[in-house]
Each structure stands twice: as C-alpha cells, then as structure tokens.
Amino acid sequence: MAEANNERDQRQNEEIEAMAAIYGEEWCVIDDCAKIFCIRISDDIDDPKWTLCLQVMLPREYPGTAPPVYQLNAPWLKGQERADLSNSLEEIYIQNIGESILYLWVEKIRDVLIQKSQTEPDPDVNKKTEKKTVERERERERERGPIVKKQPANTAKKGARKVSEPVPEVEELPPIDHGVPITDRRSTFQAHVAPVVNPKQVKMVLSKLYENKKVASATHNIYAYRIFCEDKQTFLQDCEDDGETAAGGRLLHLMEILNVKNVLVVVSRWYGGILLGPDRFKHINNCARNILVERNFTSSPEESSKTLGKKKVKKDKKRNDH
C-alpha cells in the first residue's frame, strides 16, 4: 500500500514539475501541501480576447483511480457553454483513466478559446474600452517595431491597398507547439515544434522560445531543422547540441529517418542532478518523435519514397563542449 502511495505521489510531482516547465508564469501554486494549482489559459498569449482560469486539486488517488477536482473560473462562462466544456474535460478523463491529464485539459480549453475567438467578438466590449484598446495596441505596435500581427478583418480601413497592388512580403512568426514532457530521475525533457520554410523563421522561433524564462533556463536546448528547397530539390538542414555532445546530430538523424521537412524541433532538457547516461538521448529522440507524429509532420510512405535520393545541404556547427 505504501509503495502504491509513493508511486502516485511521484507521478503527481512529476506532472506538477512538467506543467510548471511548460506553462511558466501561467502556472500558479495556490497550496502546495494540498496540491491545489491554478493555470491561466487564453486564446492568444500576446493579445488575449478570451481567458479562463482552471483551478485543480489533485486528490490522493489521482491519476490512478480518481480525476482532479476542478473549477472553471470565467465571468463569461455560463449555462450550456460551461456544461459543454465540463463534459469535454470529463470525457478526456474517461478516455485516459490512470494517465496524467492536466496537459490535455489545458490544451482542450485553449482549443475551445481559440475557436471562440474566431467566431465571437471580445466579451464585454463597449465603444470606450474598444477605443482605448485600439490606442494601446497601436502604441505597442510602435514599441515592438518589426513584430507583425494579423489585423482583424473588422478593422480594415477604407481606401486600403487594392488586391491588384503588390503587397510587400513580411515574415510572420510560425505557430509553435509544445509536446508532453518526459521526466526521468528528476531530469525533464520537452519538445517544441514549428513549421519553417527558411532560416530566418528558424531564428524567429528560437528567439520566441527563449523569451520564455523556463525554456531559457533549461540546461540544454537542442535543436535541428530541415527545409526542403523546391527550386534546387535539396534539403537545407542544420542542428545544435547546446552543450549536450552529439545530441543535435542524433536529433537530425531521427528527422531524416522520419523524412520530415520544413520543420524545426527544439528539445529542452532541465537537468535534475542525476546522470542518465545514454538514456538522455533516448528521451530527447522520443520527445521529438512524439511531437512530430502528433502534429502530423511525418510523411506518408508515398511521400517518403518520392523524396529518397534528394541532396542534403548541411551547415555543420555542432558544439562539442560539455
């Protein structure tokens, strides 16, 4: 009985550590002893329209035989909408009994908020607050300089550029997805993935990731990318060990085997004080493979056969320090 309790405690602690690693400042500890936590979830981190706070309490039996006790806090969440979201969370639990589900819950709520932001206007907006928001956004844009954000369709001005006129190309930050962390002997590994079509986007994604304090504080941020050049029928690819000798090359080799293209994978490792030996490479590759498969970056057998024999152009800048 004591062993089972210890195992549950360990699984809970590992999940808490992983959630804090993924969500950083969005994750808040309300009562560490009672294992009560809160996470602020929004449709867009930089410019949120819809926000919800998920408060959870992890019972002793979680994740084995009991779900987290949860509360959804948002002034706009009422009636059928609240019931539908609660049903979705409970369905996720039923489909994953015995597994850690906090990450799945958070991302499900985020998906709902994103869908809501695409179909409904901002909550509780009147003319005065809307005007102030627009003014604040304009000030932010001037301060941010080159950062580009999509302009909502309803803010297009009369006399805007005609369709026939050439529109200057502006590089946009690709969407970044975060994988489920793997924890082994107090070391945590987490993969991040983004679609990229040129080296400039690679730099943009890396810069954005490093803005996250948790990612920036990782012991290693190993990455690799592969970009398919249609005009030359070749791959532009590169990798970085970030002090974890040979890890970048192994990650790139995995991407070659999976035949992925136009994608950047970053694996963050937070060292827990215990040497893992070769297991660390296994975890790095497992993190990367899982997120590539989950986000549908892996090619079908037909596509893989078409790209066999393509030339590879590799810029090798791996570091060997440790």
Side-chain angles (χ1 to χ4, degrees), residues 39-273:
I39 181 166
R40 184 176 182 273
I41 311 166
S42 58
D43 60 319
D44 188 306
I45 294 176
D46 295 324
D47 183 21
K49 293 181 180 178
W50 299 91
T51 300
L52 182 150
C53 288
L54 170 66
Q55 182 173 312
V56 295
M57 189 273 286
L58 305 184
R60 186 80 174 176
E61 299 79 15
Y62 173 80
T65 57
V69 178
Y70 71 93
Q71 183 174 332
L72 301 170
N73 299 319
W76 51 266
L77 187 65
K78 300 175 183 177
Q80 189 60 44
E81 197 169 21
R82 177 181 288 273
D84 290 344
L85 183 53
S86 297
N87 290 339
S88 296
L89 299 185
E90 288 159 16
E91 184 178 348
I92 289 174
Y93 168 72
I94 292 172
Q95 292 173 349
N96 299 274
I97 291 178
E99 302 295 330
S100 301
I101 60 168
L102 293 184
Y103 176 83
L104 298 177
W105 276 10
V106 171
E107 292 309 308
K108 175 60 180 179
I109 293 171
R110 195 184 306 279
D111 287 342
V112 170
L113 297 181
I114 291 173
Q115 292 176 10
K116 190 176 182 66
S117 70
Q118 294 172 347
T119 57
E120 299 182 28
D122 295 15
D124 302 324
V125 174
N126 55 42
K127 291 183 179 180
K128 291 183 179 180
T129 57
E130 185 175 9
K131 183 178 179 181
K132 290 180 181 179
T133 301
V134 171
E135 290 174 353
R136 283 197 299 268
E137 283 302 315
R138 287 174 179 169
E139 287 182 10
R140 289 178 189 170
E141 291 299 329
R142 285 195 292 269
E143 292 172 358
R144 290 171 183 165
I147 296 180
V148 177
K149 301 181 74 175
K150 292 183 179 178
Q151 184 182 14
N154 63 345
T155 60
K157 297 180 180 180
K158 293 183 179 180
R161 187 187 302 274
K162 296 180 180 179
V163 176
S164 59
E165 295 181 21
V167 179
E169 293 185 7
V170 180
E171 209 69 66
E172 292 189 11
L173 176 69
I176 305 172
D177 286 315
H178 309 281
V180 178
I182 295 175
T183 301
D184 180 12
R185 285 163 281 179
R186 295 190 296 183
S187 279
T188 298
F189 302 79
Q190 185 194 7
H192 323 275
V193 68
V196 294
V197 294
N198 57 54
K200 185 176 180 181
Q201 286 188 329
V202 172
K203 293 180 180 179
M204 292 174 67
V205 172
L206 292 174
S207 296
K208 185 64 177 178
L209 281 173
Y210 295 150
E211 289 178 8
N212 183 295
K213 293 180 181 179
K214 193 68 180 181
V215 174
S217 67
T219 312
H220 308 288
N221 282 303
I222 305 109
Y223 72 80
Y225 65 86
R226 299 186 83 217
I227 298 171
F228 183 60
C229 307
E230 295 283 354
D231 54 342
K232 298 179 181 178
Q233 293 292 292
T234 59
F235 279 96
L236 177 65
Q237 56 188 44
D238 198 6
C239 60
E240 171 60 55
D241 295 337
D242 194 26
E244 186 71 282
T245 306
R250 289 170 182 253
L251 178 58
L252 182 59
H253 181 62
L254 170 73
M255 296 171 69
E256 291 174 347
I257 293 174
L258 295 175
N259 193 37
V260 297
K261 62 182 180 179
N262 299 334
V263 61
L264 164 70
V265 179
V266 181
V267 178
S268 301
R269 180 196 179 183
W270 292 268
Y271 180 57

Side-chain angles (χ1 to χ4, degrees), residues 285-304:
N285 277 5
N286 280 344
C287 277
R289 181 183 61 81
N290 290 343
I291 199 168
L292 287 168
V293 172
E294 290 168 3
R295 300 300 187 269
N296 298 316
F297 282 103
T298 51
S299 303
S300 65
E302 293 79 7
E303 291 173 331
S304 298

